[in-house]
Amino acid sequence: MAMTVHCDIVSAEEEIFSGLIEFVSVTGSLGDLGVYPGHAPLLSELKPGPVELRKQGGEQEIFYVSGGFIEVQPHKVSVLADVALRAGDINEAAAEEAKKHAEHVMADKSTELDYSRATAQLAEAAAQLRTIQQIRKKMGK
Amino acid sequence: MAAGKEIKTQISSIQGTRKITSAMEMVAASKMRKAQDRMQESRPYARNIRSVIQHLAKSNPEYKHLYLQQREVKRVGFIVVATDRGLCGGLNINAFKAAIAKMQEFKNQNVEMDICAMGSKSVSFFKTYGGNVTAAKSGLGDKPEIAELIGTVKVMLDAYDEGKLDMLFVVSNEFVNTMTQQPQVEQILPLKAEDDDDRLNHHWDYIYEPDARELLNGLLVRYIESLVYQAVVENNACEQAARMLAMKNATDNAGDLIDELQMVYNKARQAAITQEISEIVSGAAAV
C-alpha cells in the first residue's frame, strides 16, 4: 500500500478536508509544489489556485484556495487557506464574470486607485477557472 | 384589606418581570446556538494554525522573528475581552478577576501594563478600575468580523513591534459547556512552545518560500488575529450561555417569589374574613 500522510485543509470559516493522503499539490508563491509523505519541513505562502489531493486508495479530489499558507512536516500537511472551496462549489459563470470585470477595471486607466485590488481579483478569478479546467481534464481522461 | 391590595400590585409587578426574563432567556438560547456554531466553525483553523506555530516555536530558524524572541519583561499588554451588554451573571466579573490577579503578579515585579479593552463592559470596567487603556473597542455585536478586530489588535502588535511591550496576554472566557464558562488568561506573545512532540526534538528548520522574514510576518500576524477572533467568538458564545442561565434563574426566582407572596396574600385575606365573621357574630350576640 502506498505511503500516506495526514492532511488538514482549513479555512477561517470551516474545515474542508481532514484525512490521509498519498499526494498533494498546491500553488505556492514561487510555483507549484508537489508533496509526498515524508517531505522535508516546509513553510510556504499560497497563491490563489487549485489544491489537488490523492486520497488514500487513489481517489482524486480538487479544492480551490484563495491564498494562505501551507505547512509541511514529514508526518503532517496543513493548508491554512484564507478562503477554501470544494471545486464543485465554484461558480464558473461568476468566475468568468469576475475575471472580465477585473480586466475591464485594469484596462480603464481612469480608475487607477483600485489597480492592485483588480489584479488580486483577476488572479483569483483566473485561478478559479484554472481549477475548473483541471477538473474537466481529469474527468475527460 | 389595605395590605392585600399592596401585595396584589407587587405580585403583578413581579409577574411582569418574569415575563421579561423568560423572554430574554429564550432569546439568549437561540442566540447561543448561533454563537456556538460560529465558534465551532472557526475552531479547526485556530487549532491548525496553533499547531503550525507550535512547530515553528520548536524549530531552529535561521531568522528569529520578533515574536519568537523572549525579552526582558518591562511592560506587558493585556487584551481583555468582555461582553457588550450586562445581565449575564458573573461572566465578566470572573474574567476581570482573572485579569487582575495576573496583573497583580506583574505589578509586584514592578512591571508596567497597557490594556486593550474589547467589549463595552471591559471598557467601562477599566475606566473605573484604572490602568493604562491604550486601545478600546466596543459594540462587537453578535457577529464579530475579523476586519473589525484587526485595528484594535494592531495597536498592541505595533507597540510590541516597537519594543514598548514585552509580553501580550489575552483574557477571555472559555466555553466549556452551556453551564460552565471558564475565564482564561493566555499568553500570545512571545510564542511559547508547549507541544511535546518527540518527533520535533532535534535540530531542524523549515524550507521557507519565498523567504523567512516575509512569510513569518504574514503567518504570525494571521495567527494572532485568528487567536483574538477565536477569543471574541468564544466569549460571545459564553455571553449568551451565561445570560440564558442567569435569566433562567431570574425567572425561577420570580416564580418562587410570586408563590410566596400569593401565600401571604391568601393568609391576609383569610384573616380579614375570619375577623369580619367574628365581628358579625359577636355583634349579633350582643343584640
Side-chain angles (χ1 to χ4, degrees):
Chain A
M1 206 176 77
M3 285 231 300
T4 55
V5 60
H6 186 86
C7 176
D8 283 321
I9 301 180
V10 292
S11 74
E13 283 93 30
E14 58 178 334
E15 187 168 46
I16 294 274
F17 175 85
S18 175
L20 292 172
I21 53 151
E22 290 174 6
F23 171 76
V24 58
S25 90
V26 297
T27 321
S29 57
L30 295 184
D32 284 9
L33 284 166
V35 178
Y36 281 101
H39 194 287
L42 170 118
L43 262 179
S44 174
E45 232 174 288
L46 296 179
K47 281 202 297 195
V51 172
E52 205 183 324
L53 296 178
R54 193 159 75 234
K55 290 196 278 193
Q56 191 176 26
E59 197 191 328
Q60 299 264 5
E61 202 160 340
I62 298 181
F63 301 99
Y64 164 79
V65 299
S66 71
F69 298 93
I70 183 171
E71 188 226 16
V72 180
Q73 288 283 348
H75 58 275
K76 190 172 184 237
V77 178
S78 315
V79 178
L80 306 165
D82 295 342
V83 177
L85 292 173
R86 279 179 193 82
D89 295 344
I90 302 177
N91 185 340
E92 187 174 7
E96 196 80 59
E97 180 74 20
K99 188 180 165 194
K100 281 216 186 84
H101 177 74
E103 278 169 349
H104 178 75
V105 171
M106 283 171 76
D108 192 0
K109 290 283 185 290
S110 59
T111 54
E112 215 169 301
L113 274 173
D114 270 354
Y115 190 78
S116 60
R117 227 179 76 196
T119 321
Q121 274 174 359
L122 180 63
E124 248 179 65
Q128 291 197 356
L129 291 171
R130 203 143 49 85
T131 311
I132 292 170
Q133 277 156 12
Q134 205 169 335
I135 297 170
R136 292 254 166 77
K137 218 168 72 192
K138 285 267 145 54
M139 304 273 262
K141 250 194 264 179
Chain B
M1 277 291 283
K5 192 150 188 278
E6 267 164 35
I7 295 172
K8 208 71 192 171
T9 21
Q10 208 175 351
I11 287 175
S12 70
S13 118
I14 294 172
Q15 271 167 341
T17 313
R18 183 169 66 169
K19 270 185 202 149
I20 295 168
T21 54
S22 87
M24 283 177 82
E25 180 194 339
M26 283 184 270
V27 171
S30 92
K31 277 190 180 173
M32 183 189 72
R33 235 159 280 144
K34 281 182 215 145
Q36 245 175 309
D37 287 346
R38 251 193 302 281
M39 179 181 83
Q40 237 92 45
E41 278 163 10
S42 60
R43 253 188 187 164
Y45 189 87
R47 200 178 52 229
N48 270 287
I49 198 163
R50 188 184 294 244
S51 96
V52 170
I53 297 295
Q54 291 295 342
H55 292 163
L56 190 67
K58 295 207 95 185
S59 73
N60 308 86
E62 51 185 34
Y63 164 71
K64 263 278 191 208
H65 193 275
L66 200 62
Y67 293 171
L68 295 164
Q69 295 164 5
Q70 306 279 341
R71 292 193 290 220
E72 196 197 338
V73 182
K74 290 196 219 72
R75 200 177 181 89
V76 293
F78 282 90
I79 299 176
V80 184
V81 182
T83 66
D84 273 328
R85 271 178 278 174
L87 291 182
C88 47
L91 187 77
N92 288 327
I93 295 299
N94 287 342
F96 294 149
K97 268 190 197 151
I100 288 167
K102 191 82 187 168
M103 287 174 188
Q104 198 61 45
E105 272 177 43
F106 283 107
K107 231 174 229 167
N108 293 341
Q109 297 165 24
N110 282 326
V111 174
E112 285 177 271
M113 257 158 299
D114 278 348
I115 295 160
C116 165
M118 289 222 181
S120 41
K121 286 289 155 188
S122 177
V123 176
S124 64
F125 176 79
F126 284 103
K127 210 176 263 170
T128 49
Y129 176 76
N132 184 16
V133 180
T134 51
K137 169 92 192 151
S138 48
L140 296 165
D142 293 328
K143 272 187 239 129
E145 301 264 337
I146 288 194
E148 282 177 44
L149 306 175
I150 289 174
T152 326
V153 175
K154 199 163 182 318
V155 176
M156 298 310 260
L157 289 184
D158 285 347
Y160 191 88
D161 289 343
E162 290 163 19
K164 285 185 197 151
L165 295 176
D166 306 300
M167 267 179 138
L168 193 56
F169 291 89
V170 170
V171 184
S172 67
N173 284 288
E174 185 193 358
F175 188 92
V176 183
N177 54 43
T178 320
M179 307 298 276
T180 329
Q181 294 88 32
Q182 191 78 41
Q184 59 173 2
V185 181
E186 194 178 4
Q187 179 185 336
I188 55 173
L189 287 177
L191 302 169
K192 275 195 307 192
E194 289 162 356
D195 198 357
D196 296 323
D197 197 337
D198 286 336
R199 285 174 288 195
L200 299 172
N201 279 335
H202 57 90
H203 193 91
W204 63 280
D205 191 14
Y206 283 109
I207 303 165
Y208 297 96
E209 278 184 26
D211 75 350
R213 174 193 287 266
E214 209 174 296
L215 186 72
L216 289 183
N217 262 337
L219 185 65
L220 289 170
V221 169
R222 189 67 54 85
Y223 169 66
I224 308 276
E225 282 167 12
S226 127
L227 235 127
V228 174
Y229 176 71
Q230 183 68 21
V232 170
V233 174
E234 195 152 338
N235 201 66
N236 193 267
C238 287
E239 175 189 352
Q240 302 304 347
R243 179 165 301 133
M244 189 181 84
L245 211 63
M247 288 303 120
K248 187 179 172 356
N249 285 338
T251 310
D252 292 350
N253 287 344
D256 290 348
L257 215 55
I258 290 171
D259 287 349
E260 260 169 50
L261 284 174
Q262 193 68 51
M263 185 74 91
V264 172
Y265 172 77
N266 288 346
K267 275 185 182 156
R269 195 181 73 104
Q270 212 149 29
I273 292 169
T274 315
Q275 199 187 351
E276 220 167 298
I277 291 174
S278 70
E279 272 167 15
I280 292 169
V281 170
S282 56
V287 174

